[in-house]
Amino acid sequence: MRFEVSPKLFELLPDAVFGVVAVRGADNSREYPEISALLRSAAADCAEALAGVKVKESPDIVPYREAFRALGINPNKFMCSIEALLTRIAKGKGLPEISPAVDLGNAVSLMTRLPIGAHDMGTVGRALEVRPARAGDSFVPFGGGEAETPEPGEIVYVSSGEVRTRRWTWRQSETGKITPGTSDLLFPIDGFAGVNLERVLAAREMLAGRIESVFGARAAVGLVDREHPVFEAEP
């Protein structure tokens, strides 16, 4: 299970860091009441904390909006995933339960105010990469529909030309989404050294701890940065 980040990303965002939780053998097909309760609690806490707050001006969100601009992405048009989650909650829309693994990632994302993705590694070939898009890459929108071609140089999560997330942390694809049959997955936690690294590490431990204690699955953790651009979990 391999995760790697292109040097091109670090040229644009030198302080970027990626907490990594790699999971093997999770049963995502059954119900876990403790995960449902955790998500509801995290959403309720966020709703209370965000009362009267402009999410896009939050100190937790501003660094991501600035990073989007550095990547040539308009943050007013394309929101980072954590900004989108918090905005939804601030508007009173709540957060639906999707599946236990996704719900766990969303709960920890809300608790730490960090963008956290979830990728089915059973659908990944050589590696899950973060790199600029190139010719031949294709993105299938979540829920299906006509395939899209990312803009040249757009930062994407991708495997074997199949884009899993467009515009860095904006929107995940139908390809590689977490399903009830997913058993091997990877959670990337996107952050910045000197800004929220401690929260990235805390989120990583929260995720790994609950994967092992609630799901009874194996979890390996890592940290990818400019000096260490590759994470690889043992088989």
Side-chain angles (χ1 to χ4, degrees):
M1 195 178 295
R2 183 179 174 95
F3 175 66
E4 59 186 61
V5 179
S6 166
K8 294 292 186 182
L9 183 281
F10 294 115
E11 290 175 10
L12 297 167
L13 300 176
D15 294 334
V17 296
F18 298 79
V20 186
V21 180
V23 180
R24 291 193 185 278
D27 182 354
N28 195 45
S29 66
R30 50 163 291 202
E31 295 183 0
Y32 297 88
E34 46 276 75
I35 299 300
S36 298
L38 186 69
L39 180 62
R40 289 194 299 269
S41 175
D45 289 346
C46 280
E48 182 177 355
L50 293 170
V53 173
K54 290 185 178 180
V55 172
K56 70 178 183 179
E57 297 176 2
S58 164
D60 295 326
I61 299 303
V62 168
Y64 293 95
R65 293 177 64 84
E66 292 175 348
F68 265 42
R69 291 189 180 95
L71 296 176
I73 304 168
N74 181 349
N76 294 317
K77 185 175 181 182
F78 306 105
M79 286 191 290
C80 169
S81 64
I82 183 57
E83 182 178 352
L85 284 180
L86 294 178
T87 298
R88 178 185 176 93
I89 289 173
K91 290 182 177 180
K93 295 182 178 180
L95 205 61
E97 293 185 29
I98 298 171
S99 75
V102 174
D103 294 344
L104 174 59
N106 283 341
V108 175
S109 180
L110 294 177
M111 292 164 68
T112 58
R113 306 294 201 272
L114 296 169
I116 300 177
H119 300 270
D120 186 337
M121 296 301 283
T123 67
V124 167
R126 185 189 69 83
L128 179 65
E129 302 176 68
V130 181
R131 61 162 173 77
R134 55 191 181 220
D137 288 345
S138 180
F139 175 86
V140 178
F142 197 83
E146 187 174 346
E148 302 172 3
T149 301
E151 298 171 7
E154 175 186 323
I155 296 299
V156 296
Y157 275 81
V158 60
S159 175
S160 303
E162 296 178 331
V163 173
R164 307 306 175 97
T165 305
R166 284 198 65 182
R167 297 184 175 90
W168 186 27
T169 58
W170 172 57
R171 179 172 294 172
Q172 287 194 234
S173 169
E174 180 71 13
T175 305
K177 72 178 182 181
I178 304 302
T179 71
T182 298
S183 61
D184 297 344
L185 60 152
L186 185 140
F187 295 97
I189 308 164
D190 308 73
F192 307 97
V195 176
N196 53 18
L197 176 57
E198 289 186 0
R199 277 190 283 130
V200 169
L201 297 177
R204 187 186 69 176
E205 299 311 312
M206 279 188 217
L207 275 170
R210 284 180 168 82
I211 284 291
E212 292 183 339
S213 65
V214 178
F215 286 78
R218 291 182 292 155
V221 301
L223 184 70
V224 168
D225 59 19
R226 191 172 190 175
E227 301 301 322
H228 309 88
V230 176
F231 164 85
E232 193 156 15
E234 295 181 4

PDB file of all heavy atoms in Angstrom, residues 25-45:
ATOM      1  N   GLY A  25      -8.165  -4.921   6.282  1.00  0.00           N
ATOM      2  CA  GLY A  25      -9.074  -5.874   6.910  1.00  0.00           C
ATOM      3  C   GLY A  25     -10.241  -5.265   7.666  1.00  0.00           C
ATOM      4  O   GLY A  25     -10.774  -5.899   8.582  1.00  0.00           O
ATOM      5  N   ALA A  26     -10.677  -4.062   7.279  1.00  0.00           N
ATOM      6  CA  ALA A  26     -11.840  -3.456   7.942  1.00  0.00           C
ATOM      7  C   ALA A  26     -13.133  -4.036   7.370  1.00  0.00           C
ATOM      8  O   ALA A  26     -13.229  -4.287   6.170  1.00  0.00           O
ATOM      9  CB  ALA A  26     -11.834  -1.942   7.758  1.00  0.00           C
ATOM     10  N   ASP A  27     -14.119  -4.241   8.226  1.00  0.00           N
ATOM     11  CA  ASP A  27     -15.449  -4.661   7.776  1.00  0.00           C
ATOM     12  C   ASP A  27     -16.334  -3.421   7.744  1.00  0.00           C
ATOM     13  O   ASP A  27     -16.802  -2.954   8.777  1.00  0.00           O
ATOM     14  CB  ASP A  27     -16.025  -5.709   8.735  1.00  0.00           C
ATOM     15  CG  ASP A  27     -17.384  -6.223   8.278  1.00  0.00           C
ATOM     16  OD1 ASP A  27     -17.927  -5.693   7.282  1.00  0.00           O
ATOM     17  OD2 ASP A  27     -17.917  -7.137   8.920  1.00  0.00           O
ATOM     18  N   ASN A  28     -16.546  -2.889   6.543  1.00  0.00           N
ATOM     19  CA  ASN A  28     -17.330  -1.668   6.385  1.00  0.00           C
ATOM     20  C   ASN A  28     -18.788  -1.965   6.042  1.00  0.00           C
ATOM     21  O   ASN A  28     -19.539  -1.075   5.677  1.00  0.00           O
ATOM     22  CB  ASN A  28     -16.703  -0.791   5.287  1.00  0.00           C
ATOM     23  CG  ASN A  28     -17.218   0.634   5.305  1.00  0.00           C
ATOM     24  OD1 ASN A  28     -17.322   1.252   6.366  1.00  0.00           O
ATOM     25  ND2 ASN A  28     -17.536   1.165   4.133  1.00  0.00           N
ATOM     26  N   SER A  29     -19.174  -3.228   6.166  1.00  0.00           N
ATOM     27  CA  SER A  29     -20.520  -3.625   5.750  1.00  0.00           C
ATOM     28  C   SER A  29     -21.515  -3.695   6.902  1.00  0.00           C
ATOM     29  O   SER A  29     -22.716  -3.820   6.680  1.00  0.00           O
ATOM     30  CB  SER A  29     -20.460  -5.002   5.071  1.00  0.00           C
ATOM     31  OG  SER A  29     -20.071  -6.010   6.004  1.00  0.00           O
ATOM     32  N   ARG A  30     -21.030  -3.611   8.140  1.00  0.00           N
ATOM     33  CA  ARG A  30     -21.925  -3.722   9.300  1.00  0.00           C
ATOM     34  C   ARG A  30     -22.079  -2.379   9.996  1.00  0.00           C
ATOM     35  O   ARG A  30     -21.428  -1.396   9.616  1.00  0.00           O
ATOM     36  CB  ARG A  30     -21.383  -4.754  10.288  1.00  0.00           C
ATOM     37  CG  ARG A  30     -19.925  -4.566  10.652  1.00  0.00           C
ATOM     38  CD  ARG A  30     -19.540  -5.307  11.897  1.00  0.00           C
ATOM     39  NE  ARG A  30     -20.159  -4.737  13.090  1.00  0.00           N
ATOM     40  CZ  ARG A  30     -19.696  -4.911  14.319  1.00  0.00           C
ATOM     41  NH1 ARG A  30     -18.621  -5.652  14.528  1.00  0.00           N
ATOM     42  NH2 ARG A  30     -20.295  -4.362  15.344  1.00  0.00           N
ATOM     43  N   GLU A  31     -22.974  -2.326  10.968  1.00  0.00           N
ATOM     44  CA  GLU A  31     -23.202  -1.087  11.701  1.00  0.00           C
ATOM     45  C   GLU A  31     -22.296  -1.014  12.925  1.00  0.00           C
ATOM     46  O   GLU A  31     -22.021  -2.019  13.572  1.00  0.00           O
ATOM     47  CB  GLU A  31     -24.667  -0.986  12.135  1.00  0.00           C
ATOM     48  CG  GLU A  31     -25.648  -0.877  10.977  1.00  0.00           C
ATOM     49  CD  GLU A  31     -27.082  -0.699  11.465  1.00  0.00           C
ATOM     50  OE1 GLU A  31     -27.293  -0.656  12.700  1.00  0.00           O
ATOM     51  OE2 GLU A  31     -27.976  -0.621  10.608  1.00  0.00           O
ATOM     52  N   TYR A  32     -21.839   0.200  13.217  1.00  0.00           N
ATOM     53  CA  TYR A  32     -21.027   0.462  14.404  1.00  0.00           C
ATOM     54  C   TYR A  32     -21.674   1.642  15.136  1.00  0.00           C
ATOM     55  O   TYR A  32     -21.409   2.803  14.790  1.00  0.00           O
ATOM     56  CB  TYR A  32     -19.587   0.814  14.025  1.00  0.00           C
ATOM     57  CG  TYR A  32     -18.851  -0.296  13.311  1.00  0.00           C
ATOM     58  CD1 TYR A  32     -18.913  -0.415  11.922  1.00  0.00           C
ATOM     59  CD2 TYR A  32     -18.083  -1.215  14.023  1.00  0.00           C
ATOM     60  CE1 TYR A  32     -18.238  -1.425  11.262  1.00  0.00           C
ATOM     61  CE2 TYR A  32     -17.395  -2.235  13.371  1.00  0.00           C
ATOM     62  CZ  TYR A  32     -17.479  -2.329  11.996  1.00  0.00           C
ATOM     63  OH  TYR A  32     -16.801  -3.335  11.336  1.00  0.00           O
ATOM     64  N   PRO A  33     -22.523   1.382  16.119  1.00  0.00           N
ATOM     65  CA  PRO A  33     -23.229   2.468  16.802  1.00  0.00           C
ATOM     66  C   PRO A  33     -22.296   3.531  17.378  1.00  0.00           C
ATOM     67  O   PRO A  33     -22.642   4.725  17.397  1.00  0.00           O
ATOM     68  CB  PRO A  33     -23.987   1.739  17.928  1.00  0.00           C
ATOM     69  CG  PRO A  33     -24.153   0.349  17.429  1.00  0.00           C
ATOM     70  CD  PRO A  33     -22.919   0.049  16.633  1.00  0.00           C
ATOM     71  N   GLU A  34     -21.107   3.123  17.819  1.00  0.00           N
ATOM     72  CA  GLU A  34     -20.189   4.102  18.401  1.00  0.00           C
ATOM     73  C   GLU A  34     -19.680   5.091  17.354  1.00  0.00           C
ATOM     74  O   GLU A  34     -19.400   6.247  17.674  1.00  0.00           O
ATOM     75  CB  GLU A  34     -19.031   3.414  19.112  1.00  0.00           C
ATOM     76  CG  GLU A  34     -18.341   2.291  18.411  1.00  0.00           C
ATOM     77  CD  GLU A  34     -18.923   0.914  18.509  1.00  0.00           C
ATOM     78  OE1 GLU A  34     -19.941   0.670  17.837  1.00  0.00           O
ATOM     79  OE2 GLU A  34     -18.319   0.059  19.206  1.00  0.00           O
ATOM     80  N   ILE A  35     -19.582   4.667  16.087  1.00  0.00           N
ATOM     81  CA  ILE A  35     -19.165   5.589  15.021  1.00  0.00           C
ATOM     82  C   ILE A  35     -20.294   6.564  14.705  1.00  0.00           C
ATOM     83  O   ILE A  35     -20.068   7.769  14.526  1.00  0.00           O
ATOM     84  CB  ILE A  35     -18.752   4.815  13.757  1.00  0.00           C
ATOM     85  CG1 ILE A  35     -17.569   3.893  14.045  1.00  0.00           C
ATOM     86  CG2 ILE A  35     -18.413   5.783  12.629  1.00  0.00           C
ATOM     87  CD1 ILE A  35     -16.327   4.598  14.524  1.00  0.00           C
ATOM     88  N   SER A  36     -21.515   6.070  14.651  1.00  0.00           N
ATOM     89  CA  SER A  36     -22.669   6.948  14.419  1.00  0.00           C
ATOM     90  C   SER A  36     -22.768   7.995  15.516  1.00  0.00           C
ATOM     91  O   SER A  36     -23.003   9.185  15.252  1.00  0.00           O
ATOM     92  CB  SER A  36     -23.960   6.128  14.362  1.00  0.00           C
ATOM     93  OG  SER A  36     -23.945   5.213  13.287  1.00  0.00           O
ATOM     94  N   ALA A  37     -22.577   7.570  16.755  1.00  0.00           N
ATOM     95  CA  ALA A  37     -22.652   8.496  17.891  1.00  0.00           C
ATOM     96  C   ALA A  37     -21.533   9.525  17.823  1.00  0.00           C
ATOM     97  O   ALA A  37     -21.733  10.721  18.126  1.00  0.00           O
ATOM     98  CB  ALA A  37     -22.581   7.722  19.207  1.00  0.00           C
ATOM     99  N   LEU A  38     -20.334   9.099  17.430  1.00  0.00           N
ATOM    100  CA  LEU A  38     -19.198  10.018  17.316  1.00  0.00           C
ATOM    101  C   LEU A  38     -19.458  11.084  16.266  1.00  0.00           C
ATOM    102  O   LEU A  38     -19.171  12.272  16.485  1.00  0.00           O
ATOM    103  CB  LEU A  38     -17.938   9.227  16.959  1.00  0.00           C
ATOM    104  CG  LEU A  38     -16.623  10.003  16.946  1.00  0.00           C
ATOM    105  CD1 LEU A  38     -16.222  10.414  18.355  1.00  0.00           C
ATOM    106  CD2 LEU A  38     -15.519   9.172  16.297  1.00  0.00           C
ATOM    107  N   LEU A  39     -20.017  10.686  15.127  1.00  0.00           N
ATOM    108  CA  LEU A  39     -20.315  11.650  14.062  1.00  0.00           C
ATOM    109  C   LEU A  39     -21.368  12.649  14.518  1.00  0.00           C
ATOM    110  O   LEU A  39     -21.235  13.860  14.298  1.00  0.00           O
ATOM    111  CB  LEU A  39     -20.782  10.918  12.806  1.00  0.00           C
ATOM    112  CG  LEU A  39     -21.126  11.818  11.612  1.00  0.00           C
ATOM    113  CD1 LEU A  39     -19.903  12.597  11.149  1.00  0.00           C
ATOM    114  CD2 LEU A  39     -21.694  10.983  10.459  1.00  0.00           C
ATOM    115  N   ARG A  40     -22.430  12.162  15.158  1.00  0.00           N
ATOM    116  CA  ARG A  40     -23.489  13.068  15.633  1.00  0.00           C
ATOM    117  C   ARG A  40     -22.936  14.059  16.656  1.00  0.00           C
ATOM    118  O   ARG A  40     -23.258  15.252  16.622  1.00  0.00           O
ATOM    119  CB  ARG A  40     -24.639  12.263  16.245  1.00  0.00           C
ATOM    120  CG  ARG A  40     -25.462  11.477  15.229  1.00  0.00           C
ATOM    121  CD  ARG A  40     -26.773  10.994  15.852  1.00  0.00           C
ATOM    122  NE  ARG A  40     -26.543  10.100  16.990  1.00  0.00           N
ATOM    123  CZ  ARG A  40     -26.442   8.784  16.896  1.00  0.00           C
ATOM    124  NH1 ARG A  40     -26.537   8.205  15.708  1.00  0.00           N
ATOM    125  NH2 ARG A  40     -26.250   8.039  17.966  1.00  0.00           N
ATOM    126  N   SER A  41     -22.094  13.571  17.560  1.00  0.00           N
ATOM    127  CA  SER A  41     -21.517  14.436  18.580  1.00  0.00           C
ATOM    128  C   SER A  41     -20.608  15.490  17.956  1.00  0.00           C
ATOM    129  O   SER A  41     -20.661  16.675  18.324  1.00  0.00           O
ATOM    130  CB  SER A  41     -20.731  13.596  19.578  1.00  0.00           C
ATOM    131  OG  SER A  41     -20.052  14.412  20.514  1.00  0.00           O
ATOM    132  N   ALA A  42     -19.772  15.077  17.005  1.00  0.00           N
ATOM    133  CA  ALA A  42     -18.859  16.017  16.354  1.00  0.00           C
ATOM    134  C   ALA A  42     -19.630  17.082  15.582  1.00  0.00           C
ATOM    135  O   ALA A  42     -19.274  18.274  15.618  1.00  0.00           O
ATOM    136  CB  ALA A  42     -17.918  15.267  15.424  1.00  0.00           C
ATOM    137  N   ALA A  43     -20.701  16.675  14.905  1.00  0.00           N
ATOM    138  CA  ALA A  43     -21.511  17.640  14.151  1.00  0.00           C
ATOM    139  C   ALA A  43     -22.210  18.617  15.082  1.00  0.00           C
ATOM    140  O   ALA A  43     -22.275  19.821  14.800  1.00  0.00           O
ATOM    141  CB  ALA A  43     -22.524  16.899  13.282  1.00  0.00           C
ATOM    142  N   ALA A  44     -22.720  18.120  16.193  1.00  0.00           N
ATOM    143  CA  ALA A  44     -23.399  18.995  17.157  1.00  0.00           C
ATOM    144  C   ALA A  44     -22.427  19.992  17.771  1.00  0.00           C
ATOM    145  O   ALA A  44     -22.748  21.187  17.927  1.00  0.00           O
ATOM    146  CB  ALA A  44     -24.052  18.153  18.247  1.00  0.00           C
ATOM    147  N   ASP A  45     -21.226  19.545  18.108  1.00  0.00           N
ATOM    148  CA  ASP A  45     -20.219  20.441  18.673  1.00  0.00           C
ATOM    149  C   ASP A  45     -19.833  21.522  17.671  1.00  0.00           C
ATOM    150  O   ASP A  45     -19.654  22.693  18.039  1.00  0.00           O
ATOM    151  CB  ASP A  45     -18.971  19.655  19.082  1.00  0.00           C
ATOM    152  CG  ASP A  45     -19.202  18.788  20.315  1.00  0.00           C
ATOM    153  OD1 ASP A  45     -20.221  18.992  21.004  1.00  0.00           O
ATOM    154  OD2 ASP A  45     -18.361  17.910  20.580  1.00  0.00           O
TER     155      ASP A  45
END
